[in-house]
Amino acid sequence: MDLPLVYHRDYVAPLPEGHRFPMPKFQQLYELLLADSVAHPYQFHTPERPPQKLIELVHTPEYVQAYYEGTLDLKAQRRIGLPWSPALVNRTCVAVGGTILTAKLALSHGLACNTAGGTHHAFPSYGSGFCIFNDLAIASRVLQKLGLVQKILIVDLDVHQGDGTAFIFQDDRTVFTFSMHCEVNFPGTKQKSDLDVPLPIGMEDDAYLQTLAAYLPDLLSEVKPDLIFYDAGVDPHVGDRLGKLALTDTGIYRREMQVLSTCIATGYPVACVIGGGYADDLKSLVYRHSLVHRAASEVYRHFHL
């Protein structure tokens, strides 16, 4: 068996020319993984669009319906930052389905990776920062509802705080939220995760990895989760337009190896999503996103999962 991966061609929806969200990266990531023989076609699983009632395990019916129908007001649309279209509605829902499927595959195989996901700025009644529905929160609720897991740990290493996720689970002892993010960055108003580790602007590889090592192993022994969601945002990279930290490609790869080997070695299954990443050079950005899949493939083989 090889590492299970999740992709759907509907992960890409048309956006206006010049839009700053790098929508083509999802298809290009899939193509790069195949071109570099990181993965083979048979490793990819195709998600389904989840029924509306599953999205409403986290989001209010009013918000979900308004988004489905395209009747959100202009202010709510602007807060999301993506222009509404039926194709984007479908893309949003299919990507949520992708994270649900990735989580199920992680439980059965020990480790699995989505080629999208990590929409951690979405709140129950509104979207924000390119995030419409919170895939991490929805997948957590779906797996709990199915009785597949009880305790979940969300490890969010996107450069921006996982504020929507923190808010959704703020009074919930069954989901532990850990966010390690740049202190002076979006969102302006931070929420309270179970554990927040704010980082100074310009932090480089070694200091970042040492900080992570100071928290993650203890967290695993304390939480003892049935499943870990790992948001592997690559926006802490020095070349990211929205990041403000200074990790290199090597630093990102070391981070992925550190997170995955630490979790898998202690027996906890991990479902990975790719999180944020913003760069003018799309090819470099897509390569950065592929680092979690490269690391996961290595860890999967090493631990004979």
Side-chain angles (χ1 to χ4, degrees):
M1 280 296 297
D2 288 307
L3 174 74
L5 301 166
V6 175
Y7 173 74
H8 197 294
R9 64 184 182 185
D10 289 351
Y11 278 2
V12 176
L15 288 178
E17 189 70 36
H19 194 282
R20 67 193 187 120
F21 185 80
M23 185 66 81
K25 71 182 183 180
F26 303 103
Q27 181 180 341
Q28 290 185 25
L29 173 58
Y30 167 72
E31 290 167 351
L32 179 66
L33 293 173
L34 292 174
D36 284 2
S37 298
V38 177
H40 302 282
Y42 66 83
Q43 288 175 246
F44 286 92
H45 300 251
T46 306
E48 295 178 353
R49 179 172 169 164
Q52 185 169 337
K53 66 182 181 192
L54 294 186
I55 291 172
E56 290 174 359
L57 290 173
V58 167
H59 296 284
T60 64
E62 297 77 16
Y63 170 55
V64 175
Q65 199 58 39
Y67 190 73
Y68 274 26
E69 294 171 357
T71 56
L72 285 180
D73 62 45
L74 282 175
K75 185 181 174 188
Q77 290 273 25
R78 277 198 303 272
R79 190 168 195 169
I80 290 170
L82 296 167
W84 186 89
S85 71
L88 188 63
V89 174
N90 183 60
R91 184 247 173 250
T92 299
C93 296
V94 168
V96 169
T99 298
I100 295 169
L101 178 56
T102 303
K104 290 177 177 175
L105 289 165
L107 285 178
S108 54
H109 296 270
L111 178 59
C113 295
N114 199 356
T115 50
T119 45
H120 60 172
H121 299 309
F123 283 71
S125 59
Y126 62 89
S128 174
F130 304 137
C131 301
I132 297 154
F133 298 142
N134 193 312
D135 63 311
L136 297 163
I138 296 166
S140 297
R141 286 285 179 249
V142 168
L143 266 67
Q144 287 178 330
K145 187 179 173 65
L146 291 172
L148 296 174
V149 298
Q150 292 180 316
K151 193 74 184 277
I152 290 169
L153 169 63
I154 297 176
V155 174
D156 190 336
L157 300 187
D158 190 284
V159 81
H160 306 106
Q161 191 209 32
D163 56 338
T165 318
F167 179 85
I168 289 162
F169 296 120
Q170 62 187 346
D171 297 317
D172 187 337
R173 296 183 65 81
T174 68
V175 180
F176 191 102
T177 53
F178 166 43
S179 180
M180 198 167 109
H181 51 267
C182 182
E183 185 172 20
V184 187
N185 206 329
F186 179 88
T189 303
K190 306 288 192 285
Q191 300 296 320
K192 193 174 186 325
S193 308
D194 291 302
L195 175 59
D196 283 302
V197 180
L199 307 174
I201 289 174
M203 180 178 267
E204 297 179 351
D205 292 349
D206 288 347
Y208 183 98
L209 296 169
Q210 286 161 15
T211 305
L212 179 59
Y215 289 99
L216 185 59
D218 291 344
L219 206 49
L220 295 176
S221 8
E222 179 193 328
V223 178
K224 298 184 174 59
D226 300 312
L227 175 67
I228 297 164
F229 283 101
Y230 174 37
D231 185 340
V234 297
D235 37 16
H237 192 275
V238 65
D240 196 90
R241 283 196 290 116
L242 305 179
K244 300 187 182 178
L245 297 184
L247 272 64
T248 62
D249 284 0
T250 302
I252 297 276
Y253 183 75
R254 286 170 62 199
R255 181 192 73 173
E256 315 308 32
M257 288 298 290
Q258 184 174 323
V259 170
L260 297 176
S261 55
T262 302
C263 296
I264 299 298
T266 40
Y268 299 112
V270 185
C272 305
V273 296
I274 70 167
Y278 308 91
D280 296 325
D281 181 355
L282 196 58
K283 191 175 176 183
S284 299
L285 175 63
V286 169
Y287 175 75
R288 277 171 225 156
H289 278 305
S290 77
L291 292 170
V292 70
H293 305 86
R294 294 171 197 269
S297 298
E298 188 70 28
V299 169
Y300 196 87
R301 281 194 298 271
H302 179 78
F303 286 95
H304 305 293
L305 296 177

